[in-house]
Amino acid sequence: MHTASSRPPLARRMLAEFIGTGMLVTVVVGSGIAAQRLSPNDVGLQLLENSLATALGLAVLILMLGPVSGAHLNPVVSLADWVLGRRRAGGLPTTDLGGYLAAQLSGGVAGTLLAGVMFDVAPAFSTHQRATPGQLIGEVVATAGLVLLIFALARTSTPSVTAAAVGAYIGAAYWFTSSTSFANPAVTVARIFTDTFAGIAPASAVPFILAQLVGASIGLGLLLVLQPTATRAAGRAVIPTEPETTPQEHS
């Protein structure tokens, strides 16, 4: 594994996380607005359009920004990477964690504002209430699956496979979870600021984020049970930026 000094500078990685999370939210919110306008009388079709755009956009962003920052684009992924790194050398350093989280949260809000500007929609607090018990369970399931998938594939798969798999999972989770799979605290906070198809009311955001943190913990627990050696992949989610040299860990 490369040493910490071989990582790109933190400022460059933070910029990648800011841009990536911002563009992810722009895709989510922008495609939601477009879907609402193009299919005003068919909520199912709106969800299909929104989920397809999100799945494709996420995969592209992972491939584009993974070599710079690991393309976490999600605070629970950064937190999970940090936790795994404490078990074994590597992972996201404690000194970098705060920068990643700040870049993701601020980038997400900027992405919402950008989508609004493009579609001539003024920013406004969402009135879309979502935090029912079923939807919170949906967020736990969605986030647990996402964390398990990312860190399991980080050790065994190529970057292109990982990007496609993560995009496919989120696209599918739009449909098989009652919450439509936010699975991302930065995206959740960002979607407070749009009163459109993609929005979430401020009162629903805190329970959603708590559910996501619970889901991330479950995903990490499952990872350590199913793949006890997966800690060797710490520092390589989503796209490996610090490749191992042993054949069985090469990706």
Side-chain angles (χ1 to χ4, degrees):
M1 180 178 290
H2 293 176
T3 63
S5 61
S6 67
R7 297 187 183 102
L10 177 59
R12 189 186 306 166
R13 286 180 282 134
M14 287 178 60
L15 179 59
E17 289 294 303
F18 177 89
I19 293 171
T21 310
M23 288 305 300
L24 174 59
V25 173
T26 300
V27 170
V28 172
V29 175
S31 64
I33 296 171
Q36 199 168 32
R37 291 179 179 178
L38 293 170
S39 309
N41 301 314
D42 192 334
V43 177
L45 185 55
Q46 291 173 14
L47 187 61
L48 177 61
E49 293 160 347
N50 191 209
S51 63
L52 180 60
T54 301
L56 294 175
L58 179 56
V60 169
L61 289 169
I62 291 171
L63 286 174
M64 179 171 61
L65 298 172
V68 181
S69 67
H72 294 186
L73 316 183
N74 186 335
V76 297
V77 174
S78 296
L79 285 167
D81 194 24
W82 174 78
V83 169
L84 288 177
R86 307 290 66 76
R87 295 174 58 90
R88 190 181 181 94
L92 188 65
T94 301
T95 53
D96 295 358
L97 178 61
Y100 267 57
L101 300 184
Q104 292 157 356
L105 289 167
S106 58
V109 173
T112 296
L113 299 178
L114 176 59
V117 169
M118 290 194 297
F119 285 91
D120 298 312
V121 175
F125 288 118
S126 176
T127 57
H128 195 164
Q129 301 291 336
R130 294 180 182 265
T132 67
Q135 288 175 318
L136 294 178
I137 292 173
E139 277 302 282
V140 171
V141 171
T143 311
L146 178 65
V147 168
L148 177 59
L149 172 69
I150 286 172
F151 287 93
L153 291 183
R155 181 174 182 268
T156 60
S157 298
T158 63
S160 58
V161 169
T162 300
V166 172
Y169 175 82
I170 291 298
Y174 260 78
W175 291 90
F176 75 75
T177 66
S178 56
S179 64
T180 65
S181 183
F182 285 45
N184 186 329
V187 170
T188 304
V189 170
R191 289 167 71 166
I192 291 173
F193 298 98
T194 177
D195 194 19
T196 63
F197 177 80
I200 179 171
S204 298
V206 172
F208 255 55
I209 292 170
L210 292 175
Q212 291 157 2
L213 292 172
V214 170
S217 299
I218 293 173
L220 271 180
L222 290 172
L223 176 75
L224 296 176
V225 170
L226 296 173
Q227 296 193 16
T229 61
T231 52
R232 297 178 187 175
R236 294 173 53 193
V238 172
I239 297 296
T241 57
E242 298 177 312
E244 308 280 354
T245 56
T246 53
Q248 65 269 29
E249 304 211 357
H250 178 68
S251 61

